[in-house]
Amino acid sequence: RPDFKGSDAADGEAYFVNVMEEWRQKMGIEQMVLIGHSMGGYLSGVYALNYPNRVRHLVLADPWGVAVRSEETKGRKIPWYWKMAAAVVTKFNPLAALRVVGPWGPDV
């Protein structure tokens, strides 16, 4: 587990971007093709903004980031039914069915 001592999202972002840059240096890579998916896509984009000369190509596959809440939405409460729906949906992985099928996949 990384030794992360940050206190907010900006600290986390800086930590992971620095880890990527340290890895690039240790590997002796001058320029790289960087591919990021989901939160990795967000971090790859931030890395490319911070180190544009180190990224030859950037491929973002469904990049997600954590948006800062606007002043308009800060006081807004989330209805109980949305909280309940989120609690149920987050328990399921979209690839769970594929994992269950496993070795029988080609025959299904």
Side-chain angles (χ1 to χ4, degrees):
R1 185 170 283 213
D3 186 27
F4 176 67
K5 303 277 193 246
S7 62
D8 61 12
D11 290 343
E13 180 181 289
Y15 174 80
F16 285 109
V17 169
N18 289 334
V19 167
M20 292 168 68
E21 176 58 11
E22 288 173 14
W23 176 85
R24 185 203 59 78
Q25 290 174 4
K26 286 180 184 174
M27 295 292 110
I29 299 169
E30 191 63 30
Q31 278 194 320
M32 59 185 162
V33 176
L34 193 54
I35 302 171
H37 173 259
S38 193
M39 188 65 172
Y42 171 78
L43 291 171
S44 296
V46 173
Y47 177 89
L49 289 171
N50 285 306
Y51 300 98
N53 295 336
R54 299 298 183 200
V55 179
R56 181 177 297 154
H57 298 287
L58 177 63
V59 179
L60 302 176
D62 194 24
W64 282 76
V66 180
V68 176
R69 290 185 74 174
S70 70
E71 289 299 321
E72 178 184 323
T73 61
K74 278 188 181 176
R76 197 179 296 171
K77 289 190 174 185
I78 300 171
W80 66 269
Y81 49 87
W82 284 117
K83 289 180 182 179
M84 188 170 69
V88 170
V89 171
T90 57
K91 302 291 183 212
F92 296 99
N93 183 313
L95 298 177
L98 183 62
R99 289 189 184 116
V100 168
V101 172
W104 302 287
D107 298 328
V108 172

